[in-house]
Amino acid sequence: MDGTTSEEIRPATAADVAAVKAVTDAAYTPYIERIGRVPLPMGADHAADVAAGKVYVTGDPAGGAVVGLVVVEAFADHLYLDSIAVRPDAHGTGVGRRLLHFVDAYARALGLSEVRLCTHAKMWENQKIYPKYGYEFVERRVEGAYDRLHYRKRLD
């Protein structure tokens, strides 16, 4: 048990690295067949991202185990949401919503007025989710082997 409550979102620690990898893998594995390759978040250096302070986690109320996370990176003019992952057994419980609201609040706390992200074009579920949370489609770009849709959200 890592002490994370269902409502708390906190910076990940070195002790969370295995859970960060497990949740990321569980969230993104279903897309491998659809997109024809391993999604980039699965190949991330989770230990380095945690050490750099880019990863924030949240737990489940039953035991505090990590059920969701975001990986973010601050730039001069925006916060980049590199990855959001929710354990499949926690889908529909509001974890993703809370994480997206956290990203907005974090950007504002840093004095940033925009959040940016991208998703693979074949992850069509995301094309429905992100606009519901205020993200607007910016452009579609092929970057290496990945066909990506770029989104942004301007914060008030």
Side-chain angles (χ1 to χ4, degrees), residues 137-154:
F137 174 75
V138 175
E139 67 179 331
R140 184 175 186 165
R141 281 196 316 244
V142 175
E143 298 170 348
Y146 295 90
D147 185 2
R148 294 179 163 179
L149 303 176
H150 291 258
Y151 289 85
R152 74 174 169 213
K153 179 177 184 177
R154 293 196 172 122

Side-chain angles (χ1 to χ4, degrees), residues 10-14 16-17 20 50-51 53 55-57:
R10 62 167 176 80
T13 66
D16 296 312
V17 171
V20 167
V50 167
V55 183
Y56 292 82
V57 298

